[in-house]
Amino acid sequence: MIHQSSHQTRVIRAELILKGFTLSDIARRCNVTPSAVSRVVARQATSRKIEGEISRMLGRPRRDLFPRLRWVAVAEAEAAASKRVSHTKDAA
């Protein structure tokens, strides 16, 4: 059985190849090394800049390409902040 992150890494690499992009193309656009891009694609590192460029090049949401528990935490924090703002408005 293929580990989920390993599978997703292969999917991203395959989609890039099908669209005619290389990791070096992404690296040039982000002003980083190809190995930095490779580490992000392989889930060994994170980079909003690199993840964003890959998602833009593939035309897919970053959350779909790079799923992680962090997205859940961000969504929960935004929901909590939204509730605090509405409570503050109600009190005023």
Side-chain angles (χ1 to χ4, degrees), residues 7-92:
H7 173 73
Q8 191 66 14
T9 297
R10 291 177 183 179
V11 168
I12 290 171
R13 287 182 186 263
E15 287 187 32
L16 287 168
I17 290 168
L18 289 172
K19 294 211 177 213
F21 297 117
T22 65
L23 298 184
S24 294
D25 294 332
I26 298 163
R28 275 191 295 279
R29 290 177 185 212
C30 294
N31 199 30
V32 297
T33 64
S35 63
V37 176
S38 181
R39 285 192 306 273
V40 169
V41 171
R43 308 295 194 286
Q44 297 169 348
T46 60
S47 167
R48 287 183 182 198
K49 178 168 57 171
I50 294 171
E51 291 172 1
E53 184 62 25
I54 291 170
S55 68
R56 189 189 68 71
M57 293 170 91
L58 296 180
R60 295 186 51 201
R62 198 169 105 207
R63 290 181 182 190
D64 290 351
L65 294 171
F66 299 96
R68 58 177 71 93
L69 292 176
R70 180 180 73 169
W71 298 118
V72 173
V74 168
E76 289 173 353
E78 288 174 351
S82 159
K83 287 179 183 177
R84 283 192 303 269
V85 169
S86 67
H87 288 304
T88 305
K89 288 180 183 175
D90 292 341

